[in-house]
Amino acid sequence: MNENMPDNAHFYASSVADWVTTNDKRDLRELLKMMDGFGYPYNLFLVPVPHDTDYEIKMYQPQVEGTQWLGYFETPKGKKK
């Protein structure tokens, strides 16, 4: 559960190979662990709509007004596939 996450927002992470969002069963910590495990650098966004909302993705980025880019993350050394 995401007790501290508003119902009207979610996190979205994407790399050249994978993407993951937070949802009712996956929190930010689990999202980051999954993305690190995939082995590719990725970007993290805060998207101001519920996780089950349909929206467009262009160039790995959510196309939702008010989306915030939170940063670029590289996989820790030794975690690549």
Side-chain angles (χ1 to χ4, degrees):
M1 292 285 274
N2 291 311
E3 300 89 22
N4 298 322
M5 190 68 174
D7 290 337
N8 60 349
H10 67 281
F11 292 100
Y12 171 91
S14 63
S15 71
V16 297
D18 301 286
W19 62 270
V20 177
T21 65
T22 54
N23 56 38
D24 296 336
K25 298 178 182 174
R26 182 185 308 122
D27 64 16
L28 179 59
R29 183 173 302 182
E30 293 166 324
L31 176 149
L32 296 173
K33 185 175 180 179
M34 286 180 71
M35 291 303 293
D36 286 344
F38 293 145
Y40 298 96
Y42 58 94
N43 286 288
L44 180 65
F45 301 88
L46 179 60
V47 185
V49 294
H51 69 87
D52 55 357
T53 302
D54 287 334
Y55 54 85
E56 193 171 344
I57 303 293
K58 285 187 182 176
M59 297 300 295
Y60 314 106
Q61 299 178 33
Q63 301 300 298
V64 176
E65 185 173 338
T67 294
Q68 298 175 41
W69 177 69
L70 302 177
Y72 171 81
F73 298 83
E74 293 189 10
T75 302
K77 300 287 185 217
K79 294 257 184 172
K80 298 211 182 226
K81 291 182 178 179

